[in-house]
Every structure is written in structure tokens, then in C-alpha cells.
Amino acid sequence: MLPTFLIGGAPKAGTTALWALLDAHPEVFMTRMKEPRFFTRNLNEPAPGVHMIGPPRRVNFDRGIDWYQSLFAGSEGALARGEASPQYIGAQDGPEIMERWVPGVKIVFALRQPVERAYSQYWQHWKKGWRMAPFERLLEDEPSLRYLEYMSRYAQHLERYRHAFGPERVHLVLFDDLRKEPQRVYRELCRFIGVDDTFQPASYDEAYNEFTSPRFRWLQRGLMATHFARFGRLVPSGARPRLRRLRLRVEGMNRSASRYVPLDPALRARLTERFEDDIAYVERLTRPLPEWRAR
């Protein structure tokens, strides 16, 4: 049992909501592990000179296809099987590995206004406790700028997958449409992965990945470093669920509801100009996007 479709990104563009909505469908099986990160050998050096913020991201390609297939245990009756790893969009080796192990697999990409996506990801990293310079100052550092922009460079990433898979196996979901027209987006997505498009989930309105602030950022930073550390594999498998529950409980106790500082409109407009080619590319594949441009 291997996936028939993948949700491949982009980060902070609605992938968690898509995972949950598809998980609610009776004909779809989604892995319990939301981000297996199997179809890439390295996420820590996505391009020359691009520096990652925070601890190294662990990938699971070296755990082998048998481990990955075990994530789909119990999916025998499903018409469609999937997983969601938002990092696939930037994985240079993603198409090659996918075609090797799951030839014919379909892939879904959720896309968001490029600057707003990067800004949301910045605050996602901040709430994890990672050491972050102020957003505007971070942009002054070219490697960090390239990192923040990297997942928003939709043209180069989508073209890589469309060339390898063919356009018919790549489906795009716009973050704005998912929020404003979730029923239409869901029907189109169901048709793309080959399941009943008349099914309606109980709700489209549930919020996912809401922003929270850590009360103690040093504690959150330590918890996340432990989460990403490879020594976790040395823990007996029977103890891992308990340790994970303990980590999540401590994380929950360390969080408080909050809102991050709104993106300065002038900064948004200035940065958006850098993404004109990417916006135009997405428009050719979807619809006019005036809301994505400088305003």
C-alpha cells in the first residue's frame, strides 16, 4: 500500500486544512504521521547559499520503503491514499524519488500570496522558539532572504513537477479560494484524486495551526530541538508515543493565544514586486490574482 496522491506544499498555505478535510472523506486514507518527509534525501540545503533557520529538519528517506509503506497499514479499502509533507515543493530531488517509488502518483500544491506566506512562516518559526531577527532586518541578509523567499518561488518549483509528472498529475489549490469557496475547492480536489465529490465534511470552518505565543521561548526551543534530534530513534518504539504525548503536553502548557504583528503594507508592496514573475506564472495556471499584487 503506497500513496495515490501527495500534498506537497507550500508551507503555511493551507496544507493542514487540506489534510484534515481529506481525512474526513470515507474513501480517503491519510497517514497519521502528517509529514513523513520521505520523498527527499535532504531538506537542509535546498539550494546553494540557502541557510535554514532552527535545527536541521529530519527526513526519512533513509528509513526505507518498508517503513514508509507501514504508514499506510489499514488502507486496503480506500480508493485514495495520501500524505502531506509541505517541504516537497522545494525538494529538488522530489520528482525523481517519487517517480521511482510511486510512479503515476498525483500531487497537490496549495499556494498563498508569496510575501504573506513567507511572513506567516517567519512567525511559525518564531513561535517554535527559534532565534529570529526582526523580519525586516532578516531580509537584509541575502542568504536568509533567499530562504524566506525560497518556498514562495512557485514558478521554478511547479515547473519542475509539471515537467516530470505532466500537468494532468499536478493540482493547484489557492489559499484564498480555500477560505472563500471551500466547497468548490473540495469538490475539485476530490475529483482530482478520484473519490466521490458529492461528500460533504461536517465543517469547513475549523481553524488549523492557529498562532500561539510560547510563554518561555527557551523552553519551546528546547522542545523543538528534541523533536528534530535523531536520537529519538534510539528510544524504544514502545516508549515513543508516551514521550511524544509528554512533549505535546508541555508545549500546550507553554502556549498562550496570540496574534502576530500584521505585515506592514508598504513592506508587503515592496517585496511583492520581487515575485511578479511567480504571480504571473500562477495566474496562467489558475485565474487572475489582483489580490496577490501590490496594493
Side-chain angles (χ1 to χ4, degrees):
M1 294 288 106
L2 287 169
T4 60
F5 73 93
L6 304 164
I7 300 174
K12 305 308 296 177
T15 57
T16 300
L18 292 179
W19 180 94
L21 289 170
L22 289 174
D23 187 53
H25 199 294
E27 297 176 346
V28 178
F29 179 94
M30 300 297 294
T31 59
R32 296 303 92 195
M33 182 184 216
K34 178 182 171 284
E35 298 184 15
R37 300 178 184 173
F38 179 75
F39 293 109
T40 181
R41 298 178 183 87
N42 188 8
L43 290 176
N44 300 306
E45 296 179 2
V50 177
H51 301 325
M52 305 297 283
I53 294 173
R57 279 60 160 181
R58 185 174 64 229
V59 296
N60 290 302
F61 180 76
D62 62 344
R63 300 179 77 167
I65 193 66
D66 290 339
W67 169 83
Y68 184 67
Q69 185 164 288
S70 71
L71 301 179
F72 295 89
S75 67
E76 292 80 359
L79 292 183
R81 298 177 297 276
E83 56 111 329
S85 295
Q87 302 79 10
Y88 289 156
I89 190 172
Q92 301 296 305
D93 56 357
E96 169 203 346
I97 298 177
M98 292 172 191
E99 284 295 84
R100 176 183 176 187
W101 291 110
V102 282
V105 73
K106 298 178 178 180
I107 193 161
V108 178
F109 292 114
L111 308 178
R112 185 175 182 177
Q113 203 278 350
V115 179
E116 293 173 1
R117 190 218 62 78
Y119 191 63
S120 179
Q121 189 175 23
Y122 167 86
W123 283 103
Q124 176 80 0
H125 292 168
W126 186 92
K127 84 172 184 178
K128 289 180 178 179
W130 300 348
R131 292 182 174 88
M132 308 286 290
F135 185 69
E136 191 163 7
R137 191 192 311 164
L138 194 63
L139 299 183
E140 297 172 1
D141 179 9
E142 180 62 18
S144 294
L145 171 61
R146 292 181 64 196
Y147 163 63
L148 286 170
E149 286 191 347
Y150 187 65
M151 292 294 186
S152 293
R153 287 300 180 189
Y154 300 141
Q156 68 180 75
H157 298 318
L158 296 179
E159 195 60 27
R160 184 170 67 253
Y161 279 95
R162 284 168 59 85
H163 176 75
F165 287 8
E168 68 282 354
R169 286 168 51 199
V170 180
H171 183 72
L172 305 183
V173 172
L174 300 180
F175 180 81
D176 309 81
D177 292 350
L178 181 60
R179 296 180 67 181
K180 296 176 182 178
E181 301 180 83
Q183 292 179 318
R184 176 183 64 78
V185 169
Y186 192 59
R187 285 196 302 270
E188 293 173 354
L189 183 58
C190 287
R191 287 196 291 270
F192 176 70
I193 66 172
V195 297
D196 179 12
D197 67 349
T198 64
F199 172 79
Q200 295 292 316
S203 173
Y204 291 102
D205 299 326
E206 188 172 351
Y208 302 97
N209 281 343
E210 290 185 293
F211 182 75
T212 57
S213 295
R215 292 184 171 90
F216 303 102
R217 297 190 71 237
W218 60 267
L219 175 58
Q220 185 62 28
R221 186 161 55 247
L223 292 169
M224 294 309 300
T226 301
H227 172 64
F228 282 107
R230 286 187 173 273
F231 72 78
R233 297 185 185 181
L234 302 177
V235 177
S237 59
R240 290 175 194 167
R242 284 175 290 174
L243 288 177
R244 182 176 182 274
R245 286 195 295 270
L246 176 61
R247 177 179 64 79
L248 293 175
R249 186 179 305 167
V250 175
E251 280 189 35
M253 294 171 61
N254 191 41
R255 291 175 181 167
S256 62
S258 182
R259 292 181 180 274
Y260 57 75
V261 179
L263 178 61
D264 177 65
L267 179 60
R268 179 193 186 276
R270 176 159 55 87
L271 295 177
T272 294
E273 294 177 0
R274 300 177 180 178
F275 293 96
E276 176 57 36
D277 290 346
D278 296 277
I279 294 173
Y281 177 87
V282 175
E283 285 184 318
R284 290 196 294 272
L285 301 180
T286 56
R287 62 170 176 81
L289 295 167
E291 66 273 25
W292 278 26
R293 288 190 159 79
R295 55 175 187 257

